[in-house]
Amino acid sequence: MAAPLSVEVEFGGGAELLFDGVKKHQVTLPGQEEPLTPVDIIYDQENQTSERERERETVTCPKLRDIRNLLVWIKKNLLKERPELFIQGDSVRPGILVLVNDADWELLGELDYQLQDQDSILFISTLHGG
């Protein structure tokens, strides 16, 4: 049985506005072969320390291991408004940069990248009105 994954999901460049203004989400995903179980997500405000808990919520999370499935989970559980500004098809919308552990996801296989424990996934919007 695979161990649960703990990953940090972060939004920047204005993308956080689609997620109730919350930039950082610490997410624990169940192991591949484990039954579906609730997970705790801790939301931290940008100007608060990472130890300070703003809100705690329990959600059901599917068995995840790649970014493709993580995006489905993010859309279902974290995205609060205007999904068309973040998701297009089964990927992120053009203009959203994705970094995995500070590396461009295009170098790592994009949607097929297999998540590892303690990965940091950063979504940065380059879409700005004028």
Side-chain angles (χ1 to χ4, degrees):
M1 199 177 288
L5 286 177
S6 179
V7 297
E8 181 180 80
V9 178
E10 186 173 354
F11 304 97
E16 68 277 5
L17 299 175
L18 304 174
F19 299 87
D20 270 352
V22 180
K23 287 191 173 208
K24 290 186 181 183
H25 304 259
Q26 190 64 39
V27 180
T28 301
L29 307 171
Q32 245 176 340
E33 300 171 13
E34 294 179 23
L36 297 180
T37 56
V39 296
D40 290 324
I41 300 174
I42 300 172
Y43 299 101
D44 294 317
Q45 290 276 32
E46 176 185 20
N47 296 326
Q48 297 175 342
T49 65
S50 61
E51 288 100 43
R52 184 162 179 205
E53 186 175 295
R54 174 175 169 240
E55 179 181 356
R56 221 168 165 63
E57 178 180 297
T58 302
V59 295
T60 302
C61 179
K63 300 178 231 178
L64 302 174
R65 288 294 171 181
D66 62 26
I67 292 182
R68 176 179 285 106
N69 289 316
L70 179 63
L71 287 173
V72 171
W73 187 88
I74 287 171
K75 182 179 178 183
K76 181 179 178 185
N77 295 288
L78 297 180
L79 190 59
K80 301 298 183 191
E81 60 181 273
R82 307 215 34 207
E84 71 277 5
L85 293 180
F86 186 72
I87 299 286
Q88 185 174 17
D90 67 347
S91 189
V92 293
R93 177 183 169 150
I96 304 285
L97 301 176
V98 182
L99 301 178
V100 178
N101 302 322
D102 297 323
D104 189 330
W105 76 326
E106 291 180 5
L107 302 173
L108 302 171
E110 296 182 357
L111 294 170
D112 296 322
Y113 173 76
Q114 296 297 303
L115 296 168
Q116 304 296 316
D117 195 43
Q118 302 303 313
D119 274 349
S120 175
I121 316 298
L122 174 59
F123 299 91
I124 303 171
S125 175
T126 63
L127 308 171
H128 301 283

